[in-house]
Amino acid sequence: MALDAGHGIAAVVLALAATAAAVRLDLSSDPIVRPDQGQSRQRTATPNGLGEVLLAGGYRTCFYVNLTVQGTQVSVSVDAGSTDTAVGSAGLNNYDATAGGVSIARPSSAQTVTDTYADGSWWTGYGVQTSVGLPGARVSANNAPVAVITSQSTSPVFVTGSGSPPAQGLMGLAYAPLSSFRFSPASVVDAWVASGTMAKDEIAMHACPYTQMSDAYIDFGNDVPSTECNPTGAPLAWAKCPTKSYFTLDVRNVSVNGQIVALPSTFQTTDSHVIGGSSKAWSIIDSCSTMLRVPSTVNSALQNAVRASGGLPSYMTSSQVSGLLSASYAYTIGSGINWAALPTLSFDLVSDQIDANGLNKVLTLTLTGRQYLQCDENRFCAYLVVSGSDTYVSLGVPVFTNLLITLDRAGGRVGFAPGCGCSTLPAGSKPNVTFGGAASVRGYISPGSPNASQRASGASAWIIGAAAGEELWRMKTQWFACQSPEMRATIRSSRACAVSIWLAATGLVSSARVRLIHPDALAASVATTVSTKASAIDTRFVQKSVVTAKGGFSTCFLVNLIVLDSTFLVRVDSGSTDLAIPTSALNAYSGPTIPASLRTSTSTNISATYGDKSGWSGFAVYGRVGLAGTGILSASAPIAAMESQTTNPVFTKGSDAQGLLGLAYGALSSFATAPVSVMDAWAASGTLGNNQVLVHACPTSLQAESFIDFGNTQASSSCSNSSSGSAQIAWAKTPLQSYFTLDVRRILVGGGAVALPSSFQADAATWSIIDSCTSAIMMPPVAAQALQKAVLASGGLPSDVTQSSAVQTGFLSGSTSVKPVNAFAFNKLPTLAFEMAAADSGTVRVTIGPRQYIQVDSDGYYAFLAQSGSDDRVILGVPFFTGIDVLLDRAGARVGFSLGCGCNASQDGLPAITTTSTGQTAAASTRNAALGGVRSRESWQMAALTGTAVSVAMALAIVMLV
């Protein structure tokens, strides 16, 4: 539902019929054809006598059911395109108060939740776990998550309080990844299933046209199957859901009157900005989208076929036909339509059925004119197909009409069977589901599934023998399609994959490490004559961060990249995704560039603005990007070509850095065409062993040992007691794949927990972050103040720092670095620890010492690198990388921590890493106990493909105060 510009709300019948273990609710609907309510926008007659209605912006139709929420009955729309259940509270603005609302007091620890839709409407509220059930039925749970809406926009989507029944909320049916909550169970349906009161994790939707709305129903539990026109009561065919987020579908072809329509090259490609996340832009089925949304080429083909069919009344003028087919107007033409003459619209969907060759069968779902051209009881008829995205199809209400749709949440599939009107509609007016019209294909394999490991063992054979017709994704780049972790065996041509196998066999895919660039070399010409140095401010994520005027406290690590045959020294940033490189047109910059002439008339504009008001603009281009000094890690990748920037550039002055390389997820990318980042391109090219990056950062005294390992197949041996020499890794969960997010549960100063603000990590937008381009650790002011207080009380600061209140305050606030005469008593200073949710269960605690949060540069200047930031999150910056090996597992959605550089010579036993499991209080140090999981869960993919471990470990230039 979140994809539609308008959503909403139709009507519903609430005649309730409970069964022993399932509930079937009757449904009805307001007319799909609803006139716009704007002034003078409804016309009742035209010169040729047709009734004409200008339709409201965005069709809004959902099914409704009654729910009892903590004793209050509310009517909510049922949405297969979302997961959360949200209801209006008593006193909600822009809501008919006569409808009533729920009255649930907000717990002090309640999570703030919000949602925004494409038409600009929004709501906000808080999440609670409470009792939710179907009135009069045994389907219920006492721990169901509900969003209580407390405020909304002036044009609410689905909570108006008006209508019959009143629109009082929304109930999502989709999967946990779409949930805004951090509850378990993640949704009302999950809670019902877990309670044992819902027979099966299935929902059957039997929708009907308006003339038969009394026969429409929804069956929670699918325990009363319909046998009308189908004696078995089971779906005739199941379409496989490639991912469990939305109810996704893999659409292979779309046909009009049996003729396949050429789909755009971007159709169902990897695009993190649309359905499917960073993995795939899958199509979906959505019960709260009135329209059937297809690529423009499909809609044009169908419109042309409708015009040529003779199915529309001959008395319609050309402008009326255009108005109808634009989905802008409805006309009273029901009695004049020749339904049998209208063209069909078909979708080839990958099914869950496997043929004798181990391939997935393809089912064909065919709609007739009665599904995509629907009329209400007043004979106003509307065309329900619109041009949507070129990247996916959204199957809305037209697919539900006259079909019995079963949403099998447990099985990850969508079932199709004869539905409403199957015994009364003429043969040419019924939707149809068949097999045999399209060749079987290789279906999508979810990483980590049982089938994945079985199929991986035969990957090479699959690749070489892959038929050209077994195309899973329509991608522009064969190389990327071949090497995509999930889909390497199903490509347009097998030649590209054979090349990668040849590279591995000949030994051209291997490891390389290049010399470290010492950070102070960049600032050697800057004289320092004072004992205190003022700090600049970096506000990209936080209110302030330490960056000294000298340049020794820079906020990022540096590596050399070769971009379009030129070498650039770029900052490595785990807090962004794009690669930004200067062009020859860039102002306020001196250094290597790429040609500004690469811009064409069709180039996409790109820009970025940072918290300190600096920014840049440019355009998107694709070209070869590789790591200098390796000759191995290289691929065609997206580049943000910078044309102009503010006079205070963040990372492209030229003297200290010449670009930025982002390591984060596709959700932050400025690009829409796969691959959307350099990291994705390297992973797809087959030259990167797995989608991980190991940062091994060292203090100044051990600077030559620092490196960054792209691929992480040469695990650091720091402080390891294992025979393999691999460091032990504690894995923390990444709850949201955008930044490298972390769920920080506690902050401890000197071993004592700090009481965090109620707003800390209050919603999905405020997870904590680990960021290689933030110099300091930024934390809620209450935690920073607790640390400062403990530092002062410890007696560990030099007396010549504490004797001046101005120097002491400047040092602890991070605004001043100091070069004291007397020494720090590091053994007296407190520890600082962060306890995070583990990737599997339990927690990971990383404890750092004063030598991490107070660091010294080669000139002897010390800086305090644990600062006050926002109340809502922690940002773990450079101090968290010093002495700790940080493993960014992009594929596994987790961040690993192990004892790193200098731990063998540690004077205080810090940093320290401990873990606890669920139900286990004893923690084991990563020095002494192997936590496992060194390899990512997708590491089998490259091993099966090449038989060779692949990584590139390169020297890391650490530009920071160490």
Side-chain angles (χ1 to χ4, degrees):
M1 175 174 176
L3 301 169
D4 250 332
H7 296 102
I9 315 300
V12 169
V13 166
L14 306 163
L16 185 66
T19 68
V23 173
R24 179 182 287 191
L25 303 178
D26 292 347
L27 301 172
S28 69
S29 177
D30 283 338
I32 288 179
V33 182
R34 295 184 302 161
D36 188 280
Q37 300 304 310
Q39 184 177 9
S40 303
R41 298 190 69 185
Q42 181 175 345
R43 290 178 285 174
T44 57
T46 63
N48 58 353
L50 290 183
E52 178 185 79
V53 171
L54 177 63
L55 298 174
Y59 286 101
R60 306 178 181 185
T61 299
C62 298
F63 305 126
Y64 273 58
V65 297
N66 274 343
L67 292 182
T68 300
V69 179
Q70 196 166 302
T72 301
Q73 182 167 302
V74 292
S75 58
V76 297
S77 53
V78 180
D79 180 23
S82 64
T83 297
D84 296 336
T85 293
V87 295
S89 63
L92 179 64
N93 63 300
N94 300 310
Y95 178 83
D96 188 344
T98 61
V102 299
S103 297
I104 302 176
R106 177 170 186 156
S108 60
S109 60
Q111 171 190 347
T112 299
V113 289
T114 187
D115 211 344
T116 303
Y117 301 98
D119 62 355
S121 60
W122 55 268
W123 61 264
T124 187
Y126 55 89
V128 296
Q129 282 185 294
T130 187
S131 61
V132 178
L134 295 170
R138 287 187 288 176
V139 174
S140 63
N142 293 323
N143 61 343
V146 173
V148 179
I149 301 174
T150 56
S151 179
Q152 62 180 346
S153 58
T154 55
S155 55
V157 176
F158 58 85
V159 190
T160 62
S162 59
S164 178
Q168 296 172 286
L170 180 87
M171 177 184 179
L173 306 181
Y175 292 98
L178 301 185
S179 175
S180 301
F181 300 117
R182 297 202 295 271
F183 294 130
S184 181
S187 70
V188 168
V189 177
D190 286 337
W192 287 349
V193 173
S195 73
T197 60
M198 187 167 145
K200 293 180 291 187
D201 199 0
E202 297 180 11
I203 300 164
M205 304 186 75
H206 185 268
C208 295
Y210 297 114
T211 56
Q212 293 180 271
M213 278 309 299
S214 60
D215 295 327
Y217 65 84
I218 181 170
D219 183 350
F220 288 93
N222 192 28
D223 206 34
V224 190
S226 171
T227 57
E228 183 184 11
C229 309
N230 180 25
T232 68
L236 298 181
W238 290 98
K240 182 179 180 180
C241 293
T243 61
K244 289 185 176 182
S245 51
Y246 299 93
F247 286 98
T248 55
L249 299 169
D250 185 358
V251 176
R252 292 305 180 92
N253 295 299
V254 184
S255 303
V256 173
N257 259 353
Q259 299 296 311
I260 294 177
V261 179
L263 294 172
S265 60
T266 55
F267 186 73
Q268 289 194 173
T269 59
T270 53
D271 185 347
S272 61
H273 300 289
V274 294
I275 300 168
S278 61
S279 175
K280 179 85 161 123
W282 300 110
S283 297
I284 64 167
I285 187 166
D286 182 8
S287 64
C288 259
S289 178
T290 306
M291 310 305 292
L292 199 160
R293 297 179 178 274
V294 296
S296 57
T297 54
V298 174
N299 193 25
S300 296
L302 181 61
Q303 291 171 339
N304 292 337
V306 168
R307 286 188 173 96
S309 69
L312 297 180
S314 58
Y315 48 77
M316 292 187 72
T317 66
S318 60
S319 63
Q320 289 172 340
V321 170
S322 296
L324 176 73
L325 297 181
S326 69
S328 300
Y329 290 88
Y331 294 92
T332 53
I333 56 174
S335 59
I337 297 175
N338 181 357
W339 296 103
L342 291 173
T344 59
L345 178 62
S346 302
F347 301 88
D348 289 342
L349 310 176
V350 175
S351 79
D352 71 337
Q353 296 188 29
I354 306 298
D355 68 11
N357 297 316
L359 302 177
N360 291 78
K361 293 183 178 180
V362 174
L363 68 89
T364 300
L365 170 65
T366 300
L367 306 180
T368 72
R370 285 193 184 271
Q371 284 78 59
Y372 63 76
L373 185 60
Q374 294 194 24
C375 307
D376 68 4
E377 66 275 17
N378 297 316
R379 297 184 297 115
F380 277 95
C381 302
Y383 177 76
L384 302 183
V385 182
V386 294
S387 297
S389 170
D390 278 347
T391 56
Y392 62 90
V393 163
S394 176
L395 302 180
V397 165
V399 175
F400 286 81
T401 306
N402 304 125
L403 280 171
L404 177 62
I405 305 294
T406 301
L407 306 175
D408 182 357
R409 300 172 80 251
R413 55 185 186 167
V414 176
F416 301 92
C420 198
C422 64
S423 60
T424 58
L425 283 173
S429 294
K430 301 176 185 177
N432 194 21
V433 181
T434 59
F435 282 100
S440 298
V441 297
R442 184 73 61 194
Y444 174 81
I445 312 166
S446 298
S449 68
N451 288 337
S453 59
Q454 295 169 12
R455 294 191 178 186
S457 62
S460 297
W462 283 15
I463 293 167
I464 296 173
E470 291 182 34
E471 176 190 8
L472 185 60
W473 295 348
R474 295 172 177 85
M475 292 180 147
K476 290 183 177 179
T477 307
Q478 292 180 351
W479 183 267
F480 183 81
C482 170
Q483 295 302 329
S484 171
E486 301 90 348
M487 303 316 310
R488 62 188 183 284
T490 52
I491 57 169
R492 190 166 295 167
S493 166
S494 62
R495 182 176 181 182
C497 287
V499 170
S500 69
I501 295 172
W502 175 81
L503 285 173
T506 56
L508 295 182
V509 179
S510 59
S511 299
R513 183 176 294 186
V514 297
R515 181 179 173 273
L516 171 73
I517 304 171
H518 195 280
D520 283 345
L522 298 175
S525 61
V526 181
T528 304
T529 58
V530 295
S531 58
T532 62
K533 299 184 292 186
S535 296
I537 301 298
D538 177 3
T539 55
R540 290 187 312 138
F541 295 115
V542 295
Q543 295 174 0
K544 58 184 177 180
S545 178
V546 178
V547 185
T548 66
K550 172 177 177 286
F553 278 113
S554 180
T555 57
C556 301
F557 309 133
L558 291 168
V559 297
N560 276 321
L561 287 186
I562 298 177
V563 182
L564 301 181
D565 298 325
S566 296
T567 301
F568 296 82
L569 184 65
V570 300
R571 302 190 189 277
V572 180
D573 181 22
S574 65
S576 65
T577 298
D578 296 338
L579 170 65
I581 294 293
T583 69
S584 54
L586 187 65
N587 62 298
Y589 171 82
S590 176
T593 61
I594 61 176
S597 58
L598 292 172
R599 175 183 277 278
T600 68
S601 59
T602 60
S603 293
T604 301
N605 293 326
I606 295 178
S607 63
T609 304
Y610 303 102
D612 61 355
K613 307 304 182 183
S614 64
W616 58 268
S617 62
F619 60 93
V621 66
Y622 283 78
R624 185 154 295 277
V625 178
L627 275 174
T630 68
I632 299 165
L633 197 56
S634 180
S636 179
I639 304 165
M642 303 170 64
E643 293 177 303
S644 64
Q645 62 181 352
T646 53
T647 55
N648 56 332
V650 175
F651 56 86
T652 45
K653 295 178 181 178
S655 58
D656 57 352
Q658 298 150 357
L660 186 78
L661 171 64
L663 304 180
Y665 291 97
L668 304 183
S669 175
S670 302
F671 295 82
T673 302
V676 297
S677 71
V678 170
M679 288 300 298
D680 284 347
W682 285 347
S685 72
T687 58
L688 185 66
N690 52 61
N691 207 352
Q692 297 178 344
V693 179
L694 172 66
V695 180
H696 180 79
C698 297
T700 303
S701 59
L702 297 171
Q703 189 67 43
E705 298 180 15
S706 297
F707 65 86
I708 184 168
D709 183 349
F710 289 90
N712 186 40
T713 58
Q714 293 186 346
S716 167
S717 58
S718 301
C719 300
S720 172
N721 63 353
S722 68
S723 59
S724 65
S726 295
Q728 317 308 324
I729 299 177
W731 291 105
K733 179 182 180 181
T734 297
L736 180 66
Q737 296 180 51
S738 52
Y739 302 99
F740 285 98
T741 57
L742 296 168
D743 183 3
V744 173
R745 300 292 177 81
R746 295 200 300 169
I747 302 175
L748 301 96
V749 174
V754 177
L756 296 174
S758 60
S759 59
F760 184 74
Q761 292 188 170
D763 53 54
T766 55
W767 291 113
S768 295
I769 295 169
I770 187 164
D771 180 20
S772 64
C773 266
T774 294
S775 295
I777 293 174
M778 310 304 299
M779 50 190 177
V782 64
Q785 291 162 12
L787 178 62
Q788 292 171 5
K789 183 177 179 180
V791 166
L792 289 174
S794 71
L797 294 181
S799 58
D800 49 338
V801 172
T802 58
Q803 68 186 7
S804 167
S805 60
V807 173
Q808 174 183 291
T809 301
F811 175 70
L812 292 178
S813 69
S815 62
T816 302
S817 57
V818 299
K819 189 176 183 179
V821 175
N822 299 317
F824 284 85
F826 284 106
N827 61 322
K828 294 182 178 181
L829 292 168
T831 59
L832 176 62
F834 298 88
E835 196 168 273
M836 297 162 274
D840 44 15
S841 62
T843 61
V844 173
R845 181 185 293 185
V846 180
T847 303
I848 65 172
R851 286 182 172 83
Q852 283 76 53
Y853 63 78
I854 299 175
Q855 294 195 17
V856 60
D857 68 4
S858 58
D859 291 329
Y861 284 87
Y862 289 84
F864 192 78
L865 301 181
Q867 299 298 316
S868 292
S870 167
D871 271 342
D872 58 11
R873 67 169 49 150
V874 165
I875 297 178
L876 301 177
V878 163
F880 221 74
F881 288 80
T882 308
I884 300 172
D885 280 356
V886 177
L887 180 53
L888 306 173
D889 184 357
R890 301 173 80 251
R894 55 186 184 169
V895 177
F897 301 100
S898 64
L899 298 175
C901 192
C903 59
N904 284 315
S906 174
Q907 302 173 38
D908 51 14
L910 297 170
I913 304 169
T914 57
T915 62
T916 59
S917 300
T918 302
Q920 179 183 3
T921 58
S925 170
T926 55
R927 275 186 182 151
N928 304 314
L931 299 178
V934 174
R935 300 197 65 176
S936 81
R937 59 190 176 193
E938 292 183 3
S939 62
W940 59 264
Q941 292 163 336
M942 280 305 301
L945 177 63
T946 67
T948 302
V950 182
S951 87
V952 175
M954 71 166 295
L956 172 68
I958 306 173
V959 183
M960 60 181 182
L961 183 68
V962 290

